[in-house]
């Protein structure tokens, strides 16, 4: 098994495919949908949850076994068919066609693997053991979920609004860096953790006003 290069992909409007419709496939489908993909799912049968997503026009279903024409032209494929032979054939075709492929039960047949993640709005923390120990990745994720609460999501929402103003006002690179470092100090995070969002926003605004 080779080493993995960490990367964040923009999947918005990309044509993606999930093969299979069991519990694992449904979990992968729901995560992909968070990132604005055009998603097709191929399987002889579908779970109730997957069928509901199709009724809401969030995914396209093809009810049969997968064949190569389903894969052609796709940007990313996740194979969770539950059948070893199918997963292997999908992996071989995708690799030969330079298509990103993840085989859920075989990292060695994948050219990318999915990390365990902690999600707080625009903050994403990824944890990977390069497929060696999913259990350890899960434990670390649970530890991080306790450490990084919703205050980080709230801070990023404020920063999304403040950042353009700060970039426009603070021309000096060193002063700009110092300002952003002050913003993420624990004082602001503590205010947000206590639910004092207005106070936190005002504290950041004061910092910006006082930049010399």
């Amino acid at each position: 098994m080779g080493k993995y290069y960490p990367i964040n992909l923009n999947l918005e409007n990309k044509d993606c495919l999930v093969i299979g419709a069991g519990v694992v496939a449904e979990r992968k489908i729901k995560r992909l949908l968070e990132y604005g993909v055009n998603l097709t799912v191929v399987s002889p049968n579908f779970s109730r949850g997957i069928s509901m997503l199709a009724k809401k026009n969030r995914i396209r279903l093809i009810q049969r076994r997968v064949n190569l024409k389903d894969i052609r032209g796709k940007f990313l494929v996740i194979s969770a068919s539950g059948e070893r032979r199918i997963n292997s054939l999908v992996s071989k075709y995708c690799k030969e066609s330079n298509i990103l492929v993840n085989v859920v039960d075989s990292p060695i047949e994948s050219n990318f693997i999915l990390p365990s993640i902690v999600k707080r709005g625009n903050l994403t923390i990824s944890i990977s053991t390069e497929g060696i120990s999913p259990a350890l990745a899960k434990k670390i994720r649970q530890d991080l979920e306790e450490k990084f609460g919703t205050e980080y999501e709230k801070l990023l929402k404020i920063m999304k609004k403040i950042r353009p103003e700060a970039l426009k006002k603070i021309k000096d690179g060193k002063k700009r860096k110092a300002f952003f470092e002050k913003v993420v100090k624990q004082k602001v995070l503590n205010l947000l953790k206590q639910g004092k969002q207005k106070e936190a926003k005002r504290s950041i605004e004061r910092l910006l006003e006082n930049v010399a």
Side-chain angles (χ1 to χ4, degrees), residues 12-189:
E12 190 169 6
N13 296 320
K14 294 289 192 297
D15 291 327
C16 299
L17 177 72
V18 172
I19 300 161
V23 174
V24 174
E26 185 172 339
R27 190 167 66 244
K28 305 296 184 186
I29 289 164
K30 287 178 177 176
R31 183 189 284 194
L32 281 171
L33 288 175
E34 293 177 18
Y35 298 93
V37 302
N38 296 324
L39 187 59
T40 300
V41 181
V42 182
S43 178
N45 301 291
F46 301 103
S47 68
R48 184 173 178 274
I50 292 173
S51 297
M52 289 299 294
L53 289 170
K55 285 179 181 178
K56 295 176 181 177
N57 295 318
R58 299 195 65 198
I59 58 176
R60 172 174 172 257
L61 300 183
I62 300 176
Q63 191 165 10
R64 58 166 168 72
R65 284 175 177 267
V66 69
N67 60 48
L68 295 184
K69 72 177 183 180
D70 300 320
I71 302 172
R72 248 175 242 131
K74 294 295 184 289
F75 182 79
L76 179 149
V77 174
I78 294 179
S79 191
S81 72
E83 297 184 48
R84 183 93 296 283
R85 184 182 68 84
I86 289 177
N87 284 350
S88 293
L89 288 172
V90 168
S91 168
K92 184 174 185 295
Y93 178 80
C94 286
K95 287 181 176 181
E96 289 173 351
S97 305
N98 293 318
I99 295 170
L100 290 169
V101 61
N102 174 257
V103 179
V104 296
D105 63 349
S106 180
I108 200 168
E109 290 180 294
S110 308
N111 55 23
F112 79 96
I113 56 174
L114 295 166
S116 187
I117 66 170
V118 177
K119 189 82 173 153
R120 296 288 183 263
N122 292 107
L123 172 65
T124 302
I125 304 171
S126 301
I127 307 105
S128 173
T129 59
E130 298 191 348
I132 296 169
S133 179
L136 179 59
K138 180 181 178 181
K139 183 199 180 300
I140 294 170
R141 173 180 59 78
Q142 290 170 338
D143 291 344
L144 290 173
E145 282 174 338
E146 291 183 14
K147 180 175 177 59
F148 294 92
T150 57
E151 64 270 21
Y152 288 87
E153 178 178 354
K154 293 172 185 174
L155 177 58
L156 283 172
K157 282 182 179 178
I158 296 171
M159 284 306 301
K160 190 174 183 180
K161 296 177 181 177
I162 295 286
R163 184 176 177 82
E165 186 182 346
L167 292 174
K168 184 178 179 180
K169 179 180 178 180
I170 311 170
K171 303 300 182 183
D172 184 272
K174 289 183 179 179
K175 289 181 180 178
R176 191 186 304 130
K177 181 183 177 183
F179 165 74
F180 286 126
E181 287 178 349
K182 286 177 183 177
V183 167
V184 298
K185 294 292 185 183
Q186 200 61 42
K187 177 185 174 183
V188 174
L189 285 166

